[in-house]
Amino acid sequence: NNYDDDDDSTILQLVEEPDYLITDSLELLDRPSIYNFLFEEYPKEGFIRLPLIISGTALSICNIIGRYDDEIYVPIVSICIVLGFVNAISDLTDTKISKNIRRGAIDSKVLQVYAGTYTLSVSWLALRVYPQLCPTTSWLPLFDPILGGLSSIIFI
């Protein structure tokens, strides 16, 4: 190792807050607890993303076991669609993006915008393909040519 202790402090000064643990964190002494991370430091993760993950998991389980009863499936799909739209809007409007460069990865803002548009597309398609939630007589089919095409481009 050709670096001395002064070089390490210079490297650490280049990291701007917030860092979101993008850099190596094996030696991090004040690592937050899972609860602290989800509900205190980054509440968006606990109050928006975690419910989406849980409801998406419930929907996946229904699909795997073939349980499509309207009294179970419709509420879960509804929750997933609403939380999907909320997550997408949150991703697309988030301004607290780390300015630090991810080593060997895509820029954080680009990743955030892609995640938001992808989630928005999935939510739109889920809304449109489930007739109990989106009757074909509504005004929403008018947007299918535009949003369906955009969704296809985003998925590619």
Side-chain angles (χ1 to χ4, degrees):
N1 179 331
N2 293 333
Y3 300 106
D4 59 15
D5 289 337
D6 292 336
D7 288 339
D8 290 340
S9 65
T10 304
I11 292 171
L12 290 176
Q13 291 173 1
L14 296 176
V15 175
E16 293 184 35
E17 291 295 328
D19 188 34
Y20 302 126
L21 302 177
I22 291 171
T23 57
D24 293 332
S25 62
L26 291 175
E27 297 176 13
L28 186 65
L29 299 176
D30 59 343
R31 184 181 310 275
S33 69
I34 292 174
Y35 177 84
N36 184 296
F37 174 81
L38 288 176
F39 299 106
E40 293 177 10
E41 290 188 30
Y42 306 103
K44 179 170 72 170
E45 303 297 328
F47 293 112
I48 297 176
R49 294 203 204 287
L50 184 61
L52 179 62
I53 291 169
I54 292 169
S55 59
T57 301
L59 186 65
S60 296
I61 290 169
C62 286
N63 289 332
I64 289 168
I65 65 174
R67 189 80 190 261
Y68 303 109
D69 309 340
D70 281 350
E71 63 273 355
I72 295 173
Y73 204 74
V74 172
I76 295 174
V77 170
S78 302
I79 290 168
C80 286
I81 289 171
V82 169
L83 289 173
F85 281 123
V86 170
N87 268 278
I89 291 167
S90 174
D91 281 343
L92 293 171
T93 59
D94 191 358
T95 58
K96 291 175 31 179
I97 305 290
S98 176
K99 293 179 182 172
N100 299 315
I101 297 171
R102 291 173 169 236
R103 288 180 256 167
I106 193 168
D107 179 64
S108 292
K109 187 61 181 172
V110 172
L111 183 62
Q112 199 80 11
V113 169
Y114 179 74
T117 55
Y118 191 93
T119 305
L120 191 62
S121 298
V122 169
S123 299
W124 170 257
L125 294 175
L127 176 65
R128 292 297 297 127
V129 301
Y130 203 65
Q132 291 89 328
L133 299 175
C134 187
T136 54
T137 58
S138 74
W139 52 270
L140 291 175
L142 299 173
F143 292 100
D144 283 346
I146 297 168
L147 294 178
L150 285 174
S151 296
S152 297
I153 291 168
I154 290 168
F155 293 147
I156 294 173

